Amino acid sequence: MQAEQLSHFVVEKIEELKGRDVKVLDVQEQTDVAVYMIVCSGSSKTHVKSIANHVATEAKREGVAPLGVEGHEHSEWVLVDLGDVVVHVMQEPIRDFYELEKLWSRK
């Protein structure tokens, strides 16, 4: 699956579980590790964990095995690394604190 196609797929999977405020950032000019970074919010630790698990499971089902999933232990911020697409599922206070969209937006 191409990076753009994968990013659309991930957004669809996030929306299936009612992830909020989904942002897709094109980061290919800032880093070599990914083409897109997707950031979204979940309403609780359980919601964050569920969204991340759903994205990872559905990607694997489509032949895109996650390279890693980090943050399940606390589920305030779970990262799913799908290679060209890196997904950050965060609780709102954590997202507000780290401001990833601002950090990774093109200047």
Side-chain angles (χ1 to χ4, degrees):
M1 198 178 301
Q2 298 291 338
E4 186 174 356
Q5 188 179 15
L6 181 57
S7 73
H8 292 298
F9 174 83
V10 168
V11 169
E12 180 181 300
K13 298 306 162 192
I14 291 169
E15 290 175 346
E16 285 176 4
L17 289 190
K18 310 292 188 222
R20 295 181 292 166
D21 196 20
V22 181
K23 302 284 188 223
V24 179
L25 308 171
D26 183 335
V27 296
Q28 61 189 333
E29 291 183 18
Q30 288 105 319
T31 182
D32 292 335
V33 259
V35 177
Y36 294 103
M37 182 179 296
I38 299 175
V39 182
C40 74
S41 297
S43 58
S44 67
K45 290 181 179 186
T46 304
H47 192 211
V48 166
K49 191 177 208 175
S50 295
I51 294 168
N53 285 340
H54 185 63
V55 168
T57 301
E58 292 299 313
K60 189 173 183 179
R61 195 171 288 166
E62 290 296 315
V64 182
L67 300 175
V69 178
E70 299 291 330
H72 272 137
E73 15 347 294
H74 301 291
S75 296
E76 294 176 338
W77 176 357
V78 180
L79 180 142
V80 181
D81 184 350
L82 299 172
D84 286 341
V85 176
V86 176
V87 185
H88 297 272
V89 187
M90 309 169 91
Q91 287 188 40
E92 205 63 48
I94 301 298
R95 186 172 179 178
D96 290 344
F97 182 79
Y98 286 101
E99 297 183 321
L100 290 183
E101 294 96 328
K102 187 185 284 186
L103 180 67
W104 285 94
S105 66
R106 293 185 197 174
K107 306 279 188 230

